[in-house]
Amino acid sequence: MAAASAYPKRMDVEALLVEVSDVLNTTLDLDALLQRVAEVVKRVIAYEIFSILLLNERTQELRFRFQIGYPAKVAERIRVKVGEGITGRAAQERHAILVNDVTQEEHYIEAVAHARSELAVPLITKNRVIGVLNIEAPVRNYFKEEHARLLTLIASRIAVSIENARLYTRVSRMAGTLILLNEISREFTSILNLDQLLKRIGDLLLKVIDYQMFSILLVDETKQKLVHRFSLRFNENIQIKHDIPFSRGLVGAAARQRANILVTDVSKDPRYILLNPETRSELCVPLIYKGEVIGVLDLEHTRRGYFNEDHVRIVSTLGAQIAIAIENARLYERLKKEEQRMERDLAMAREVQHHLLPPVCPRLPGAEIAARFNPAHAIGGDMYDFLEYKANRTCIAVGDVSGKGAPAALYAALVSGILRSVAHNEPPPARILNDLNQALNQRRVDAQFVVLSCAMWDDETKVMRVANSGMPRPIYCHEGHAHIIQAAGLPLGMFEDVSYDEVTIQASPGDVFAFFSDGIVDSSNPKEELFGRVRTEQVIAKNCHKSAGEIVDALFNAADEFAAGAPVFDDQTAVVLKVM
C-alpha cells in the first residue's frame, strides 16, 4: 500500500458528517450497518486491515464483530481485555490511540503478521464505551493525526448507529423469543407423559439456546437430593446414575439457594462436580412450584462464558412453566397408577362378588328357577341367593343395598353372610327378615340399609310364602294374568322395632313368580321416561308361557330396548320361578 493513499481527500468536514449520518441511518440490521461503516471509513482512509470490536460489559472483553483482512480463526478466538493491547487501551482511555510502529509497542497483540501501524478509536455513546474501531496498515507511519481526528468525529455517529441497531436486534430477538416461549409453554401443558415431556423440553429449549449438554434433575422423596431424570449430551439421550445432595455441586447450590447459578468458567468454581470433562460454562435454574423447589434445569457448554444474562432470563421465564408441566405430568402419572390399582381392585371385587352369587340356580322336580344380575357399575349393590331347605323347600332372597359401587357391594356381602347365618335353622321368610333386621341394626353402618324380598317355595305342596322389606312388590302370574303380591315392609337396618308379615299363595302348574329390583322398573330412556311397573307386568304376562330363563331374558331385553342406549344408572336383578 502506497503511503500517499493514507491521506484523505480534502472535503468539508460538516458535509462529510452529514453524508456519514445519512448512510448510517438507512438500516437497523447490525450486519448490514457494520458493512456500511467499513465502506464509510474507507472513503476517509484507504485501508487493508479493518475491524470493529464490541465490548461485553459483563466480562469487560472486546470481541470481533466485523473484520476485513484478519484470519477468520484468529478473529473468532481473540478476546481483548479492556486495558490490554492497543484496542484495549483505546477502550480504557476513551480516546484514539495511534501507533506508528507496532513492533515497538510492548503490549501489542499480534493478529495479522504483516501489520506495522495501527489506529484504534473508541466507540462512545451516552458516555459509554460500546466498542473500538480498529484499522491497521502493513507499513510504518501510515496513519496521521488528521486520520485520528476524522475517525473520532465519525466514531460518535457510528456508535449511535451501532447501539440503535443492537437495540433493534435485541428487541426483535426478544419479541421473537417471547412468541416462541409462548408456543413452547402451550405445548408443555399438553404433554402428560413425564418422559415425553422432559424430552420435548430439551428439544424446544434448543430452539432458543444452542446448548451442548442438558439435564433435568428432580428432587427425590426425601427432599435432600437431586436425581438425574433426563439428560442429553450433544443431542444424544444418556442415562446418568449420579444423585446430587443439595449440599454439593452447582445444581445443589441452585436448589439450596433457590436462585439461578451462572458460571462462566467451571474450572474456577470449587462447587463444580466434574461429570463432563469437556464442560467449561454452566447455567443452573431451580424449578419452583407452589413455593417449593421440585428440581433443577442444568445447561452446559464447552465454551467459556457461553451463557449470558439473556439465557438466564429465557430459562427463568420458561422455568415456571416447566415446573407446572412437570408437576402436572407427575400428578397424571400418579393418577394413572392409582387408576390402574383401582382397576385391579375392582376386578378383584368383581370376581369376589361373582363368587358371592349362586353359581347355578336350584334344580327342582316341580319348578324351574332362572336369575340374572346386571350391575350399573363394575360392581353393584344388588344381590340374590338361594337357600335349599329340607323336604324340597327352597328359600329365594332378592335384595338391593342403598347406594352403588364398592360400598354397596361390601354391604351386600355383609347382608349375604348374615342372611345365611340367620337361615341356618330354616325359619320362614318373615322370621328371616326380622332376624336380619336385628343383626344389621347391631352392626349399623351410617347411611346404609337394604331392601329384601324373601320367599320360601315348597316344591311338594306348591305353596309360595312371601315376605318383603321395601323391594318392589313381586308379581304372581296365573292363567296369563299378572297380579301384584301385596307384601310390603320397611327396609332392613334402619329401624329396630319393626315386624314383617307373610303372604301365602297356592300355586298351579304354569304359574310364574317374578322378583326384581327397582333397576328394572326405573330404567329410563333418553326422554327420561320410566320403564315402569305396568310395562314390567305386561312383559311377564306376555311371556308367562315360556321357560323361566326366557322370561328373565324377555324382561331384561324389554328394559334395554326401552332405554334405547341410555346408560344404566341402577343395578338390575330379576329372579323368576315357574311352576311345572
Side-chain angles (χ1 to χ4, degrees):
M1 180 185 293
S5 64
Y7 290 92
K9 296 178 181 179
R10 291 283 181 182
M11 62 175 66
D12 183 273
V13 173
E14 290 184 4
L16 173 64
L17 294 177
V18 170
E19 186 176 352
V20 167
S21 296
D22 290 342
V23 171
L24 296 179
N25 290 335
T26 58
T27 182
L28 286 172
D29 179 83
L30 186 57
D31 292 325
L33 175 67
L34 297 181
Q35 179 65 48
R36 293 186 181 182
V37 167
E39 294 168 359
V40 167
V41 172
K42 198 160 193 175
R43 294 180 58 191
V44 178
I45 306 172
Y47 59 76
E48 290 184 5
I49 306 168
F50 173 89
S51 63
I52 291 178
L53 298 90
L54 297 182
L55 179 65
N56 183 316
E57 294 185 354
R58 181 174 58 83
T59 62
Q60 287 296 290
E61 291 179 338
L62 293 163
R63 302 180 183 182
F64 280 84
R65 186 60 179 79
F66 181 89
Q67 59 84 19
I68 297 173
Y70 291 86
K73 291 185 177 179
V74 172
E76 183 180 342
R77 177 177 51 83
I78 287 182
R79 302 286 186 272
V80 180
K81 286 285 187 183
V82 171
E84 295 180 354
I86 296 170
T87 53
R89 282 177 52 204
Q92 184 179 56
E93 298 175 15
R94 303 168 66 90
H95 63 75
I97 303 292
L98 193 160
V99 177
N100 290 316
D101 186 354
V102 296
T103 61
Q104 302 302 312
E105 181 73 17
E106 181 181 358
H107 300 294
Y108 172 67
I109 299 173
E110 182 178 303
V112 181
H114 61 277
R116 291 297 177 267
S117 55
E118 183 172 356
L119 173 59
V121 179
L123 300 171
I124 302 174
T125 179
K126 295 180 181 179
N127 204 33
R128 288 172 47 244
V129 175
I130 66 166
V132 175
L133 188 155
N134 188 61
I135 50 179
E136 299 183 61
V139 296
R140 296 177 177 85
N141 301 309
Y142 183 76
F143 303 109
K144 307 302 180 185
E145 291 296 331
E146 185 178 354
H147 297 150
R149 287 193 296 273
L150 283 172
L151 280 188
T152 299
L153 287 173
I154 296 173
S156 61
R157 272 87 175 158
I158 293 173
V160 171
S161 297
I162 289 176
E163 192 66 3
N164 288 341
R166 291 171 77 181
L167 178 61
Y168 174 78
T169 301
R170 191 177 301 118
V171 170
S172 298
R173 185 187 302 119
M174 184 58 68
T177 300
L178 288 175
I179 292 173
L180 183 58
L181 292 181
N182 186 44
E183 293 175 357
I184 290 173
S185 296
R186 285 203 306 270
E187 185 167 350
F188 284 167
T189 57
S190 67
I191 303 174
L192 292 175
N193 180 283
L194 185 57
D195 292 327
Q196 292 178 5
L197 173 65
L198 298 181
K199 183 181 185 307
R200 193 60 180 149
I201 290 171
D203 294 340
L204 293 175
L205 194 58
L206 198 58
K207 291 185 176 182
V208 288
I209 302 177
D210 189 21
Y211 63 79
Q212 291 177 335
M213 288 156 275
F214 164 86
S215 292
I216 287 184
L217 301 92
L218 299 181
V219 176
D220 75 341
E221 295 179 354
T222 67
K223 297 186 178 182
Q224 297 297 318
K225 62 182 180 180
L226 294 155
V227 179
H228 279 87
R229 191 63 173 77
F230 183 83
S231 295
L232 288 174
R233 293 293 181 269
F234 302 100
N235 294 324
E236 289 189 8
N237 189 358
I238 63 170
Q239 298 294 325
I240 299 179
K241 295 182 179 180
H242 182 81
D243 299 345
I244 300 178
F246 279 19
S247 59
R248 295 190 60 214
L250 297 174
V251 292
R256 185 176 65 255
Q257 299 172 16
R258 304 162 64 89
N260 303 323
I261 303 292
L262 175 62
V263 178
T264 57
D265 187 350
V266 296
S267 65
K268 297 180 180 179
D269 195 311
R271 297 173 297 179
Y272 178 66
I273 299 174
L274 184 61
L275 289 180
N276 304 296
E278 65 270 31
T279 296
R280 293 296 175 268
S281 54
E282 187 167 0
L283 170 60
C284 305
V285 174
L287 303 174
I288 301 175
Y289 178 76
K290 291 185 176 180
E292 289 192 10
V293 176
I294 67 167
V296 175
L297 190 152
D298 180 45
L299 298 178
E300 300 174 52
H301 204 281
T302 57
R303 188 192 306 169
R304 290 182 177 86
Y306 177 77
F307 299 110
N308 54 44
E309 293 300 327
D310 284 342
H311 294 146
V312 174
R313 282 191 290 271
I314 289 171
V315 181
S316 297
T317 301
L318 277 177
Q321 292 297 322
I322 290 173
I324 293 172
I326 287 175
E327 277 303 295
N328 286 343
R330 292 166 86 177
L331 176 60
Y332 177 78
E333 200 173 68
R334 289 194 293 269
L335 288 175
K336 190 174 180 181
K337 289 180 180 178
E338 183 65 18
E339 185 179 278
Q340 291 171 346
R341 185 192 66 78
M342 289 181 65
E343 283 293 332
R344 290 193 299 268
D345 291 348
L346 281 174
M348 178 64 71
R350 209 164 31 239
E351 184 177 354
V352 170
Q353 186 174 46
H354 174 73
H355 288 298
L356 287 174
L357 297 175
V360 293
C361 294
R363 293 181 178 275
L364 303 173
E368 61 176 6
I369 301 176
R372 185 169 168 182
F373 168 55
N374 179 33
H377 301 281
I379 53 178
D382 277 11
M383 55 168 287
Y384 67 90
D385 205 351
F386 304 113
L387 307 173
E388 296 190 38
Y389 289 180
K390 298 174 184 177
N392 293 320
R393 290 179 302 158
T394 300
C395 183
I396 301 171
V398 180
D400 183 2
V401 171
S402 60
K404 301 176 184 65
L410 288 172
Y411 197 72
L414 172 65
V415 172
S416 180
I418 297 175
L419 173 65
R420 286 187 168 268
S421 176
V422 299
H424 177 70
N425 294 321
E426 302 184 358
R431 178 65 181 276
I432 288 177
L433 295 185
N434 283 316
D435 292 349
L436 185 56
N437 181 61
Q438 184 178 1
L440 289 175
N441 274 286
Q442 291 173 352
R443 301 165 176 81
R444 180 169 294 182
V445 178
D446 290 341
Q448 289 287 359
F449 60 88
V450 62
V451 293
L452 189 78
S453 287
C454 187
M456 187 173 68
W457 170 252
D458 190 322
D459 199 49
E460 289 185 358
T461 63
K462 301 296 186 288
V463 171
M464 179 73 81
R465 299 171 68 180
V466 180
N468 192 12
S469 62
M471 281 286 283
R473 287 169 295 174
I475 292 174
Y476 167 54
C477 189
H478 177 67
E479 295 181 349
H481 298 285
H483 306 276
I484 298 173
I485 300 175
Q486 299 296 339
L490 294 173
L492 306 174
M494 293 184 67
F495 308 100
E496 295 183 9
D497 298 326
V498 295
S499 60
Y500 299 92
D501 299 323
E502 290 181 359
V503 175
T504 302
I505 299 173
Q506 179 66 57
S508 303
D511 288 353
V512 172
F513 294 90
F515 306 87
F516 45 87
S517 65
D518 57 5
I520 298 289
V521 179
D522 294 341
S523 295
S524 61
N525 61 18
K527 296 180 181 179
E528 298 186 357
E529 298 170 333
L530 297 180
F531 185 66
R533 178 98 195 179
V534 173
R535 288 187 180 87
T536 304
E537 295 172 8
Q538 289 172 348
V539 171
I540 294 172
K542 182 179 178 181
N543 293 275
C544 66
H545 62 283
K546 298 180 180 179
S547 68
E550 289 172 328
I551 296 172
V552 169
D553 290 341
L555 186 58
F556 272 82
N557 292 340
D560 290 344
E561 185 177 345
F562 178 81
V568 176
F569 69 91
D570 198 2
D571 305 329
Q572 298 174 328
T573 303
V575 175
V576 170
L577 181 145
K578 182 169 184 179
V579 184
M580 304 301 290

